[in-house]
Amino acid sequence: MTTTPISTVLIVHAHPEPTSFSTAQARGVRQVLEAQGLQVDLLDLYAQGWQPVLDRHEFPSFDGPFKPQREQWSAVRDGTLSDDVRSDLDRVLAADLLVLSFPLWWFSMPAILKGWLDRVFVMGGVAGGDAGLFETARLAGRRAVALVTTGGPAAAFAPDGAFGGIDEFLFHIHRGVFEFVGYDALAPVITYGPAHLDDAARADALRAAADAFRDIERRPSAATSRPRGSLAG
């Protein structure tokens, strides 16, 4: 599969505090990417007041039970996606690299970011329906990376740590989101326990996160190796 050179980037950021380390980290990454001549689009979900709940009211009226994927696919084909979804889907489709920026809450992403994925990664728009899955999905050849902060230290997220390996917690994002819609999932950029660092260490951590994006074209793929069976039957 041919990988698309990175010239455009979409950063989708999900932290409710504009002065947080996570927000500073996202802004620092944006600056580094722009300094390389890349076009960067930053979508701050909390600042925008994104409505994360997927329900039947965003679709044209219909009879019978609400089946979200069916209605999404119909809306894609009929050109009736809601304006906010259509706008953000266009931003996704315009980007060679997707960066999901978030704090790890309950070993996953914040609800607002999950809701953004529920609504914007529509059936038939990025994967499924006419768009394919995995290597044949619409975003095949592009790349995606998780930009994460944690509450606990790195040792807690080691395979033998108190919480277990960080790759296990991010697997559903790497394989179940990024690769499912065609992206090459890149190794995540993680800052462990920034709330427990002093000012100097936080500054170093911000620089380290930004530096991880200085040669993003060469960043290795994420660890997503698991036994995989066929989708058939």
Side-chain angles (χ1 to χ4, degrees), residues 17-224:
E17 175 50 57
T19 64
S20 68
F21 180 95
S22 178
T23 301
Q25 183 171 257
R27 291 172 178 164
V29 165
R30 178 182 190 174
Q31 291 173 354
V32 164
L33 291 171
E34 289 179 334
Q36 297 174 67
L38 303 180
Q39 180 181 332
V40 183
D41 181 8
L42 176 60
L43 170 57
D44 187 329
L45 296 178
Y46 281 99
Q48 181 177 301
W50 176 263
Q51 200 290 102
V53 178
L54 171 62
D55 65 24
R56 67 189 298 146
H57 301 296
E58 68 183 75
F59 301 100
S61 59
F62 56 89
D63 296 326
F66 175 43
K67 297 182 178 180
Q69 290 186 331
R70 180 192 64 193
E71 299 309 321
Q72 287 180 331
W73 193 3
S74 295
V76 169
R77 290 180 305 204
D78 298 341
T80 57
L81 288 171
S82 62
D83 290 343
D84 56 346
V85 170
R86 179 74 259 176
S87 174
D88 283 5
L89 176 58
D90 287 344
R91 294 164 84 169
V92 169
L93 297 176
D96 306 313
L97 172 68
L98 173 69
V99 181
L100 295 188
S101 167
F102 60 93
L104 197 69
W105 287 355
W106 293 106
F107 302 116
S108 187
M109 62 181 68
I112 196 171
L113 180 54
K114 177 57 166 61
W116 182 83
L117 290 168
D118 287 346
R119 296 187 62 215
V120 175
F121 277 31
V122 291
M123 168 73 95
V126 295
D130 299 324
L133 299 174
F134 294 111
E135 291 82 0
T136 64
R138 188 167 184 187
L139 297 170
R142 310 186 198 196
R143 283 166 275 195
V145 62
L147 176 61
V148 183
T149 59
T150 72
F157 288 96
D160 60 350
F163 301 141
I166 189 66
D167 289 335
E168 294 297 308
F169 294 115
L170 297 180
F171 178 83
H172 72 289
I173 298 171
H174 290 151
R175 186 62 178 163
V177 177
F178 292 162
E179 292 182 349
F180 190 79
V181 301
Y183 288 118
D184 177 8
L186 302 183
V189 177
I190 305 169
T191 300
Y192 292 97
H196 305 292
L197 303 177
D198 60 27
D199 289 346
R202 279 195 292 272
D204 288 342
L206 285 174
R207 282 191 290 270
D211 284 345
F213 285 80
R214 291 190 186 279
D215 193 9
I216 193 64
E217 289 277 5
R218 297 181 181 273
R219 190 161 187 82
S221 296
T224 58

